[in-house]
Amino acid sequence: MTRCRLCGSAAMASVVDLGATPPCESFLAADQLDRPEPTYPLHLRVCTDCWLAQIPPLITPEETFTQYAYFSSYSTSWVEHARTFVADAVQRLDLDSEDKEAFVVEVASNDGYLLRHVADRGIRCLGIEPSVNVGAAARDAGVPTLTEFLDPATGSAVRAEHGPADLVVANNVYAHIPDVVGFTRGLRALVADDGWVSIEVQHLLTLIEKNQYDTIYHEHFQYYTVASAARALASGGLALVDVELLPTHGGSVRLWARPAEVAGEPSRRVTDVLGQEKAAGLQELSGYTEFSTRVAKVRRDLLRFLVEAAERGETVVGYGAPGKGNTLLNHCGIRPDLLPYTVDRNPYKHGRFTPGTRIPVLPPEQISADRPDYVLVLPWNLRAELVEQLSFVHAWGGRLVFPIPELSIVEVKP
């Protein structure tokens, strides 16, 4: 990578180099196991002019998202998070007012996990989802969904056909597009001149502070602080007006933006979070220099645990097959000799194998059948939800293992 994709600067500094891995959602069918598997460098750098952290765009969104393995509705806590957001947004923006017919658009709407709550309230909505398979699931659930990637032309076409949106939602997609400026202009094309844009994206502050390096993967082209997100929004004619810190995905931010012409001054919360980022050194290189050292320790600790468990004759299996898990497995070099399988609630992944590490993905019932000594939880960001879901391992004395932010072994209670 020679230049920043946001500001064009050539002043790029290394943050962490995770080697080369396959795309994290490229699960393999059994008949693909004897074929070559492409890998791509996974090297995070930060622009020392605008402080946008980013990886090179070595794969295209079309390669990843035309058919996609992730269905949002399989996470109970994420569906509840979406329901709560819709309720709060309807109240905040008066979307159910009898005086107007509100219109809500979600970009990267997945399987309709969020817009179903909008539709249930009788509010007109539209999803824009590039993945054919998950978009079809949304339509089957009664959520109108357009199969497209967002760019300025798509935004303008949707506005011309459906009218401007009072609220545009973009959850966990702002990191997934290499053309951040074009995507932001697409958001501006969608939103009404007095409307609102709500974006949720992982916060680089918590990624750095809590060793969440497994959330670095080829689908995530950039990693935002509130400061760099404000610059990105401004590139498309939007202004940041408010921010919320969220626990989702280990630590996210919800960015509230409006067209620059009507935005006004940002809230006190924006000022406060910018102060936190500055105090953490994220607008100078000092905030990034120790990250790679702490990443190396996560790897050593997990490998040590798995090797020692194997030498004691104890069994360890995985729970979940998220994209972040595949970054972790590949970076640590974990293969079926140390983790014979993982399980996942998503039937799309059953009978497939994790990219790079070739670990089988099985239905969750396999854990009860095998009664392993340990369950390595790969979607560690759902810790509270999964400690409850996996409480049944207590019946045979099984324990849960969380690799991040540091290795911890949890004895669950029934």
Side-chain angles (χ1 to χ4, degrees), residues 218-239:
H218 298 103
E219 290 179 17
H220 287 174
F221 295 99
Q222 49 267 342
Y223 304 79
Y224 294 97
T225 59
V226 169
S228 61
R231 294 185 180 99
L233 289 165
S235 73
L238 297 170

Side-chain angles (χ1 to χ4, degrees), residues 48-393:
T48 58
D49 283 336
C50 73
W51 298 104
L52 180 68
Q54 55 204 278
I55 65 170
L58 299 176
I59 60 174
T60 67
E62 288 78 9
E63 291 175 282
T64 301
F65 296 110
T66 300
Q67 289 284 330
Y68 198 39
Y70 179 72
F71 290 70
S72 297
S73 293
Y74 285 106
S75 170
T76 302
S77 63
W78 187 244
V79 172
E80 177 59 21
H81 173 77
R83 186 197 66 78
T84 302
F85 166 78
V86 169
D88 292 346
V90 167
Q91 182 177 17
R92 174 174 179 158
L93 306 182
D94 198 22
L95 295 176
D96 57 355
S97 171
E98 295 180 359
D99 298 335
K100 65 177 181 180
E101 182 189 4
F103 180 42
V104 176
V105 174
E106 185 183 13
V107 182
S109 51
N110 202 265
D111 59 4
Y113 74 102
L114 184 146
L115 288 180
R116 69 180 64 173
H117 303 296
V118 177
D120 287 347
R121 290 172 172 267
I123 298 172
R124 189 165 62 98
C125 63
L126 176 70
I128 301 176
E129 169 55 50
S131 300
V132 175
N133 56 329
V134 291
R139 287 187 288 272
D140 289 344
V143 176
T145 304
L146 174 68
T147 304
E148 289 287 352
F149 287 93
L150 179 66
D151 57 21
T154 301
S156 297
V158 169
R159 185 185 186 116
E161 180 176 353
H162 299 276
D166 300 279
L167 171 63
V168 177
V169 181
N171 287 349
N172 301 308
V173 64
Y174 208 41
H176 290 67
I177 35 88
D179 183 7
V180 61
V181 176
F183 183 88
T184 306
R185 290 174 178 166
L187 295 174
R188 178 62 186 93
L190 285 171
V191 71
D193 293 343
D194 60 350
W196 293 78
V197 175
S198 176
I199 296 172
E200 292 184 21
V201 69
Q202 189 183 23
H203 196 187
L204 184 62
L205 177 64
T206 51
L207 187 157
I208 295 286
E209 289 185 340
K210 298 184 178 180
N211 299 330
Q212 297 168 350
Y213 79 93
D214 57 342
T215 59
I216 301 168
Y217 42 83
H218 298 103
E219 290 179 17
H220 287 174
F221 295 99
Q222 49 267 342
Y223 304 79
Y224 294 97
T225 59
V226 169
S228 61
R231 294 185 180 99
L233 289 165
S235 73
L238 297 170
L240 181 66
V241 296
D242 197 12
V243 66
E244 299 174 58
L245 298 181
L246 306 173
T248 52
H249 298 286
S252 299
V253 288
R254 178 180 291 147
L255 308 161
W256 288 95
R258 305 194 75 186
E261 297 81 4
V262 299
E265 291 297 315
S267 71
R268 175 63 182 270
R269 292 195 292 192
V270 172
T271 305
D272 289 345
V273 178
L274 290 174
Q276 293 175 33
E277 294 174 354
K278 186 174 182 179
L282 295 185
Q283 295 185 27
E284 54 188 82
L285 276 178
S286 63
Y288 302 89
T289 52
E290 294 299 319
F291 184 56
S292 62
T293 300
R294 290 188 280 111
V295 165
K297 185 177 187 305
V298 171
R299 178 176 181 271
R300 290 195 303 269
D301 289 348
L302 178 56
L303 281 173
R304 185 182 301 111
F305 162 76
L306 291 172
V307 169
E308 291 178 354
E311 290 178 344
R312 292 191 300 266
E314 296 172 324
T315 52
V316 185
V317 304
Y319 186 90
K324 61 169 59 71
N326 289 323
T327 291
L328 181 75
L329 295 172
N330 278 283
H331 178 246
C332 294
I334 295 169
R335 300 292 188 273
D337 62 321
L338 295 178
L339 195 73
Y341 64 83
T342 190
V343 304
D344 199 272
R345 294 176 66 189
N346 183 353
Y348 178 89
K349 299 179 183 179
H350 297 167
R352 296 177 183 267
F353 298 79
T354 58
T357 54
R358 312 297 180 91
I359 294 170
V361 183
L362 305 178
E365 295 76 21
Q366 195 67 40
I367 290 179
S368 295
D370 291 345
R371 301 165 72 93
D373 297 294
Y374 299 96
V375 177
L376 175 64
V377 180
L378 296 174
W380 49 261
N381 55 296
L382 301 176
R383 181 165 180 156
E385 175 183 341
L386 295 184
V387 166
E388 181 177 349
Q389 276 187 21
L390 294 168
S391 61
F392 62 86
V393 306

